[in-house]
Amino acid sequence: MSTQQLYAPIAADMQAVDAVIRQRLYSDVVLIRQVAEYIIQSGGKRLRPALVLFSANAMGYRGVHHHELAAVVEFIHTATLLHDDVVDESELRRGNKTANAMFGNAASVLVGDFLYSRAFQMMVGVNNMRVMQVLADATNMIAEGEVLQLLNCHNADVEIEDYLRVIRYKTAKLFEAATRLGAILSGADQETEERMAAFGMHLGTAFQLIDDVLDYSSDEAATGKHLGDDLAEGKPTLPLIHAMQHGTPEQAALVRGAIESGGRDEFPRILEAIHETGALEETRRHARAEAQRAIDAISSLSPSIFKEALLQLSDFAVERNH
């Protein structure tokens, strides 16, 4: 199922969010408009804003603040992408040149700062202290996750729990905030809010685990990025950790050396080790377990087309090829 089909129940809401994004991207500074519009319009699943909309609708919210907050979540996510690509020295994202490749590192970092600050202007406008607390905490934790990932780069001794902690901070936290916001807007009780937040956290973890699988198994045209980017950057993701722990001594040494030095020189041999040790299937198993935890978290939610869409998103997260 495509994201367009998945998003059918919130099609009108997504159009409203797009309108908010276009309006709020405006700046008198031409370069800010150019860079921000380039990255926003260059594709992407818009999964995080969709989660705000689905969770709010699933609990009967009937206002318009979910449009504004969905745009806020997308701006925060986009800012992290701009900064990520500078840190990782990436040149390709979603099949297009990264903003830093197009406009330079300085412009990318500064426009990322603009998007962060614009997001905070918007969330203040919602005039809900709980909303501001959730988004402020999430943004801070994402930054911590970025630093943790930086510390883990070229470290072949990273344990699985260290790797999962980076995912929870860097990726899953914004998913968690998105679904929590829907619950807060709808006035849900604390238990329901926590269940929605748990759904987002587990879904985000599953999503990132599959991203790490796709770095070693996908069609580059489908993902819009080069295979082996994580390896080139010395990132010890679960497929590599598993291959080190379950491969032959020669395979473990090969993977260790690649993580510590970075680069793609040994990519074919490492790919062979990953497949021989079943590392990709093991990572998929972890992702499926996380997706099931997400499904379980909202089992008590009243039936609706929006709840059904959230369940379908859980399947999409682990079965996708891009």
Side-chain angles (χ1 to χ4, degrees), residues 12-29:
D13 281 334
M14 288 296 274
Q15 287 183 339
V17 172
D18 285 343
V20 172
I21 287 172
R22 285 192 297 271
Q23 177 192 359
R24 295 295 196 167
L25 273 181
Y26 182 80
S27 167
D28 290 333
V29 181

Side-chain angles (χ1 to χ4, degrees), residues 5 39 49-50 86 95 132 147 162 165 179 213 250 270 288 318:
Q5 291 170 305
I39 189 71
V86 171
M132 287 191 283
V147 176
D162 298 322
R165 184 184 178 202
T179 49
V213 167
E250 291 78 14
I270 288 172
R288 291 189 189 104
V318 294

Side-chain angles (χ1 to χ4, degrees), residues 269-312:
R269 293 174 63 201
I270 288 172
L271 201 56
E272 183 179 324
I274 285 171
H275 286 296
E276 286 183 0
T277 57
L280 297 183
E281 186 49 45
E282 177 64 13
T283 307
R284 286 189 183 278
R285 186 187 67 78
H286 276 272
R288 291 189 189 104
E290 288 292 334
Q292 186 58 53
R293 292 185 186 105
I295 290 168
D296 293 343
I298 59 170
S299 60
S300 61
L301 209 62
S302 299
S304 69
I305 57 172
F306 306 109
K307 177 184 177 180
E308 184 60 32
L310 289 172
L311 298 177
Q312 290 174 340

Side-chain angles (χ1 to χ4, degrees), residues 25-90:
L25 273 181
Y26 182 80
S27 167
D28 290 333
V29 181
V30 175
L31 182 60
I32 289 177
R33 293 203 305 272
Q34 288 177 329
V35 178
E37 286 172 10
Y38 177 81
I39 189 71
I40 288 285
Q41 300 303 327
S42 64
K45 302 175 185 66
R46 294 279 174 92
L47 183 53
R48 294 153 188 84
L51 287 172
V52 177
L53 302 176
F54 276 129
S55 58
N57 280 300
M59 282 171 286
Y61 179 68
R62 290 294 177 265
V64 294
H65 284 321
H66 60 327
H67 298 151
E68 196 84 356
L69 291 181
V72 166
V73 167
E74 184 69 359
F75 281 4
I76 292 171
H77 174 57
T78 303
T80 67
L81 297 186
L82 284 164
H83 290 169
D84 261 4
D85 287 340
V86 171
V87 171
D88 297 339
E89 300 179 5
S90 300

